[in-house]
Each structure stands twice: as structure tokens, then as C-alpha cells.
Amino acid sequence: MTDTDLTLVSAWKGAQTRLKAAHIDSPAIDARLLLEAATGYTRTDILTDPYKLLTAEQKATLDDYLTRREKRVPVARILGRKGFWKLLLDLTPAVLVPRPETECIVDMILKTTEEGQAFTLADLGVGSGAILLSVLSERPAARGLGTDVSEEALAVARDNAANLGLDGRAAFLRTSWGAGLADASFDFVASNPPYIRSDVIPTLDPEVRDHDPHLALDGGESGLDAYVEMIPEAFRILKAGGTAWMEIGYDQSAAVEDLMKKAGFFNVVTFKDLSDLPRIVVGQKLSLQYTDR
């Protein structure tokens, strides 16, 4: 992109051409996002003033962004941020890039609650804070706790909470899942744990394999290691009558449902995502605990 006079529209078209040649899946969208970030202009600016000229600095920045994208660095990693639900979250290499399918958990929690309802939510393996902060942003009377084994990830979540003005209602703790949390202390529990089998990780797209932290991807030999450890903890920290939501891989529904039932959950059901794949396993803790007679 060395043209002396490069306009917004020609820069966008040229960026798309480069990304198509590099076999990037969504060249038009990626080109627009990188152009917006490199120039500081919005999508509206590109549409309403397409012949606005780029400065030399803007051209150089865009060229750098495109070069990195051609090397399969995800757009979210290049920009250091990602939209999730209605939020824009800052990212670092210590956290997973939030995925659209994880929004299913947020949607389900919001449909289970009312706007003014006061409740507590534990997000186990909080990462960037995507689930917890999205829920709190829509439920002003709610409070929550995010746990993670990575202090670097917790730092990202804390910063996101502060940037969104939610730090007064969100706390963060370094621990493994629910370890150290009090029994029956949360109304709801949610988690998007690592669930990819170890042997599958080398086959993932470079955007995931080379740029997402393996700590947030690797579910062990079976892909179920996190669930085996976490589900009993989730049951323990839930209040009677509480609900847990667990994101799963497309082929893990039966196994995770079984783990939840064995931990004591009832009404265990799997829900599909917008791609019609099994995605969220939901279970409840009985309001009254019965003993065998």
C-alpha cells in the first residue's frame, strides 16, 4: 500500500485483496476493522466520506496491521480488544479471545433473571471477564466473583471491570475453580472452561493454536479434566435452588451431563448455540435436600 494518494475506499479494497490472497476467512470484515483502527475513522466515515485521504502514518499503521493478519494473527490480538455481548473488552496474550457462542450463557442468565433482581454470580475461570461483566452490565443490582488460576488473566478482568465502571460489584480471586469459596454462597455459577482434547490442539487454526493461551484451551486427554474438578465445586458453592451453566465442546454433552448428575444436579439439560451445536449444559441444585429413607 504505497500509493501516494490512498483514500478510505481504496485502502479498504486493497486491504480486502491482500487478506483474500492470504486465504483469511472474513477478508471484508477484517479489512474494515483494521482500517478503522489504523485511521481512527468509523464505518460511517468510510461510507459517507470514502475519498478521504489517509496520512502517511495511517498508511504505515494499516500496512503493519495487514502484514500481521496475513501471518494469521487474529484481529482481536492486533487491536488488543474484542467486542462481546454489548461490551468492548481489552485483551492480552494471557486471556482467551471471547467467542460469540459464549454469549449463549449470558443470554440464558439474563432470561432467567429480571433487570432489578439482586443475585450473586460466580464465573469460574473468568479470563477477560466476558461472562461476568456482561451479566453485571445488564443487571445493576447483581454482584459477582470471577476466579482464575492465572494472575495475569485476573489483571485483565480487573482492568476491564474498572474500565466499564463495574469494579464496585465485581471481585476477583486467584484460585482453582471454586476452591476456598464458602459452601452455598452463590445464586448462580457459570463457566467456560478449557475443553479441547490435548491431541486436538495442534490441529487448530493458527489464530487459536498460536495465540490463545493453552491454559484456557487444553482440557486434557479426554477434554473433560476441568469439568471433573470443577462441577463438584460448582455444586458445593451454589445455594439451594441455584443454577449452573457450563459451556462444552460439541461432542461433550452426554459426558458433562453425567458429571453434573453425579455431583447432585437435577433438571440437567443441554442447549444448542446459534450454529445448532450442543453448547451449554444447565443444571439446578434442589431447593430442599432430601436424604435417603
Side-chain angles (χ1 to χ4, degrees), residues 7-57:
T7 65
L8 283 172
V9 67
S10 60
W12 189 13
K13 289 179 179 177
Q16 289 182 60
T17 299
R18 283 181 61 171
L19 297 182
K20 282 179 183 176
H23 307 291
I24 301 301
D25 286 341
S26 52
I29 294 172
D30 288 6
R32 176 176 59 79
L33 291 172
L34 295 175
L35 177 60
E36 289 173 358
T39 62
Y41 297 129
T42 65
R43 182 179 186 179
T44 302
D45 293 328
I46 297 171
L47 295 173
T48 59
D49 195 4
Y51 299 106
K52 190 174 187 67
L53 295 177
L54 273 65
T55 66
E57 182 180 359

Side-chain angles (χ1 to χ4, degrees), residues 20-255:
K20 282 179 183 176
H23 307 291
I24 301 301
D25 286 341
S26 52
I29 294 172
D30 288 6
R32 176 176 59 79
L33 291 172
L34 295 175
L35 177 60
E36 289 173 358
T39 62
Y41 297 129
T42 65
R43 182 179 186 179
T44 302
D45 293 328
I46 297 171
L47 295 173
T48 59
D49 195 4
Y51 299 106
K52 190 174 187 67
L53 295 177
L54 273 65
T55 66
E57 182 180 359
Q58 289 170 335
K59 286 190 285 186
T61 301
L62 179 59
D63 185 62
D64 173 62
Y65 287 172
L66 291 171
T67 299
R68 294 172 66 189
R69 187 68 187 103
E70 287 169 329
K71 295 176 180 177
R72 304 297 292 272
V73 180
V75 169
R77 296 295 180 197
I78 295 170
L79 303 184
R81 59 182 185 269
K82 175 70 173 178
F84 181 87
W85 195 248
K86 300 176 184 178
L87 309 180
L88 188 61
L89 300 170
D90 288 340
L91 305 175
T92 74
V95 296
L96 193 75
V97 173
R99 311 292 202 262
E101 54 266 29
T102 304
E103 293 182 350
C104 293
I105 292 183
V106 177
D107 185 54
M108 294 174 77
I109 294 174
L110 295 180
K111 286 178 177 176
T112 303
T113 60
E114 297 179 358
E115 186 175 355
Q117 185 175 340
F119 59 85
T120 53
L121 168 66
D123 184 352
L124 307 182
V126 71
S128 64
I131 296 172
L132 176 63
L133 299 179
S134 295
V135 172
L136 295 186
S137 72
E138 301 265 7
R139 295 290 180 262
R143 305 177 69 86
L145 172 71
T147 71
D148 211 293
V149 293
S150 167
E151 188 56 56
E152 293 82 5
L154 290 170
V156 176
R158 287 190 188 100
D159 285 346
N160 280 323
N163 293 339
L164 294 165
L166 297 171
D167 47 329
R169 294 189 287 121
F172 300 93
L173 177 68
R174 184 179 184 184
T175 189
S176 178
W177 308 121
L181 302 182
D183 293 358
S185 51
F186 291 91
D187 297 299
F188 302 123
V189 173
S191 184
N192 176 22
Y195 54 70
I196 300 172
R197 294 198 321 269
S198 300
D199 65 300
V200 172
I201 289 178
T203 73
L204 298 174
D205 289 340
E207 285 87 345
V208 177
R209 181 190 68 223
D210 300 337
H211 298 283
D212 274 330
H214 283 205
L215 181 66
L217 297 173
D218 195 339
E221 185 177 343
S222 66
L224 298 170
D225 286 4
Y227 301 103
V228 171
E229 182 179 351
M230 173 182 57
I231 286 173
E233 284 290 286
F235 185 82
R236 182 183 63 79
I237 67 174
L238 263 181
K239 295 178 182 178
T243 304
W245 291 265
M246 305 285 166
E247 181 169 333
I248 60 167
Y250 72 94
D251 58 352
Q252 296 173 322
S253 174

